[in-house]
Amino acid sequence: MELDSPFGPVDLTDPASFALGQPWESYRWLRENDPVHFHPETDGMGFWAVTRYADVRAVSRDPQTYSSWLGGVTASDSSPEQLAGQRQMMLYMDAPDHARHRRLVSASFTPRAIRSWEARIGRLAAAIVDAVAERGECDLVNDIASELPTQVVADLMGIPAEDGRHLGHLTEIMHANNLSMNDTDRMAASKEALRYCRDLAAAKRRSPGDDLATLLVQANYDGAGLPDQELMWFFLLLINAGGDTTRNLVSGAIEILLQWPDQWASIIANPDSLMPTAVEELLRFVSPVIHMRRTATVDAQLGGRTIAAGDKVVMFYPSANRDEAIWPDADRLNLTRTPNPHMGFGGGGPHLCLGAHIARLEISALIGHLARRLPDLEQAGPIERLTSTFITGPSRFPVRYTPTRAAIGAR
């Protein structure tokens, strides 16, 4: 896609456009010049790229007009066979199926329910940081940012932590684009993860536990249990979504904070009182989920454009999170910003991220412990990034710091 912009052409379907991070200036150009832009595709029908906050919000909150089920949630099209399987995942469902599936687990993700996890998450975060503190260097992504969501998801699902790590690795392959993985690799990773989820359902039937997997296996859904196929996709969604946002937000946030040393210093000085607003601002500023797609069910008007029934409509959350109409100083990191109606967990509506509350706890705990234990943290080499147009963040982030033997987690 060629944009008549001083920042050069940008193709939002090409992972190379995200090789150095988000194309912030191109997002700005789109917001100012063509906020509902028709974006051609080399191997598809093209899509409407929605980049302003108000328009993203409008699409998110109108599931009758903009469907998740019709064409899926990614800008690229799945094969009919792939889409048939994906439609058994709650993320791809429309009403009433979406609401019914969400109700099965929603009680486990309320703020009140998640508060019971606060101490556990704090202990896990402290232990993860303590484990690398003496080394003086580590990979922030794999040694720290990936570890907490992996362990929390494993606890929630009642599976071994090592299984959670391997499943997290499989989800990274599934989200990768063609620059690093081919369709065969992604399909193999998906099949392996689904086989694990199938075996997990069978194991929980034989030996129930006090975990989310058992809750779903035993759930009453319209007078019966969930079919095995739906259970497999439900488990995969929880495993998949449970790791991506936290891992990429934490590693991306530390990258940003090191670029804004005064803001990092403010967290170091007072992590307890600052973290609630800091987490919200970092979610806005980093925006690890790049897009979600909907398909128009009827002809509609959006941002002055006529959307035809069947058209692909793709919401770009990072652009919406830098919309000057909402935040006049959108490109400035302000960890005390409030209110902060960001779209780090989606644009509202029925698909608002179910795990938002637990993700906030994880982000706060990890960044807080890093500030306390490794305050002189600094980048120690080139950052490698995910090659994806769907999820963004570092895949490798070498850091160094003064080694210390003090063990907060042992206190």
Side-chain angles (χ1 to χ4, degrees):
M1 175 185 70
E2 298 290 329
L3 289 181
D4 183 17
S5 155
F7 309 107
V10 62
D11 181 353
L12 296 174
T13 68
D14 184 354
S17 297
F18 301 86
L20 300 177
Q22 299 278 1
W24 296 114
E25 296 297 347
S26 295
Y27 288 150
R28 183 200 302 275
W29 189 98
L30 285 167
R31 288 195 305 272
E32 293 176 351
N33 296 277
D34 198 3
V36 181
H37 171 83
F38 189 75
H39 191 304
E41 293 177 288
T42 57
D43 56 354
M45 62 184 286
F47 58 84
W48 295 100
V50 183
T51 52
R52 280 185 184 167
Y53 186 96
D55 296 325
V56 171
R57 189 175 187 273
V59 173
S60 298
R61 297 180 179 229
D62 187 0
Q64 289 75 35
T65 302
Y66 302 103
S67 166
S68 301
W69 185 87
L70 273 179
V73 301
T74 60
S76 58
D77 295 315
S78 299
S79 70
E81 296 76 19
Q82 290 171 327
L83 185 59
Q86 291 162 348
R87 282 173 170 167
Q88 298 178 73
M89 186 184 290
M90 185 172 64
L91 187 65
Y92 287 73
M93 293 179 182
D94 292 334
D97 290 337
H98 176 266
R100 290 172 182 163
H101 279 73
R102 192 174 176 106
R103 279 198 297 270
L104 294 177
V105 294
S106 58
S108 299
F109 291 96
T110 63
R112 184 174 183 177
I114 295 306
R115 276 196 293 274
S116 67
W117 278 81
E118 189 167 2
R120 167 68 170 154
I121 287 172
R123 289 193 297 271
L124 285 172
I128 288 164
V129 176
D130 283 345
V132 300
E134 293 186 26
R135 289 162 45 181
E137 61 181 9
C138 71
D139 175 7
L140 183 76
V141 178
N142 294 301
D143 294 332
I144 296 177
S146 294
E147 271 296 297
L148 183 57
T150 291
Q151 293 189 37
V152 171
V153 168
D155 276 4
L156 277 170
M157 299 298 292
I159 62 176
E162 191 53 44
D163 288 5
R165 291 187 188 96
H166 183 59
L167 289 166
H169 173 65
L170 293 177
T171 65
E172 289 182 27
I173 296 173
M174 289 157 60
H175 287 162
N177 283 103
N178 289 333
L179 290 183
S180 60
M181 296 288 171
N182 57 39
D183 288 340
T184 302
D185 295 327
R186 287 192 294 275
M187 185 61 69
S190 178
K191 287 181 177 179
E192 182 181 347
L194 285 168
R195 282 195 300 271
Y196 182 94
C197 293
R198 178 199 62 199
D199 294 344
L200 177 60
K204 294 300 178 181
R205 287 194 181 97
R206 292 192 303 269
S207 302
D210 182 18
D211 52 62
L212 202 52
T214 298
L215 183 153
L216 286 168
V217 164
Q218 297 178 343
N220 185 315
Y221 185 76
D222 289 345
L226 283 172
D228 280 353
Q229 282 291 111
E230 291 189 23
L231 275 172
M232 289 161 54
W233 284 97
F234 212 141
F235 289 169
L236 185 60
L237 172 63
L238 292 169
I239 292 164
N240 199 327
D244 283 337
T245 300
T246 302
R247 178 184 67 240
N248 294 312
L249 188 285
V250 169
S251 54
I254 294 300
E255 179 185 9
I256 292 296
L257 288 166
L258 295 182
Q259 295 169 6
W260 293 73
D262 60 323
Q263 298 286 290
W264 179 229
S266 67
I267 292 181
I268 293 168
N270 208 345
D272 293 330
S273 64
L274 189 57
M275 285 312 299
T277 56
V279 167
E280 303 308 312
E281 177 70 345
L282 290 166
L283 281 161
R284 181 190 75 85
F285 211 81
V286 176
S287 295
V289 178
I290 299 172
H291 79 258
M292 284 284 176
R293 173 251 187 106
R294 302 290 184 260
T295 303
T297 61
V298 296
D299 293 350
Q301 294 293 314
L302 181 68
R305 296 282 196 166
T306 298
I307 311 297
D311 281 358
K312 298 196 287 187
V313 178
V314 180
M315 301 171 286
F316 285 88
Y317 300 122
S319 178
N321 277 337
R322 297 287 182 100
D323 191 335
E324 296 82 357
I326 308 300
W327 301 274
D329 60 344
D331 290 328
R332 184 171 73 89
L333 184 69
N334 176 7
L335 299 182
T336 62
R337 189 186 301 277
T338 185
N340 197 344
H342 64 80
M343 292 182 173
F345 294 114
H351 284 280
L352 188 68
C353 178
L354 186 63
H357 301 302
I358 201 164
R360 286 183 170 101
L361 278 182
E362 293 176 75
I363 294 162
S364 178
L366 264 186
I367 295 178
H369 281 294
L370 284 169
R372 294 182 187 93
R373 294 284 274 122
L374 313 177
D376 62 347
L377 184 79
E378 63 180 11
Q379 186 174 335
I383 293 175
E384 298 175 14
R385 300 186 186 279
L386 298 172
T387 54
S388 173
T389 59
F390 186 64
I391 299 286
T392 186
S395 60
R396 184 177 180 276
F397 186 170
V399 294
R400 58 177 168 248
Y401 42 85
T402 301
T404 175
R405 292 181 177 276
I408 291 176
R411 291 178 182 174

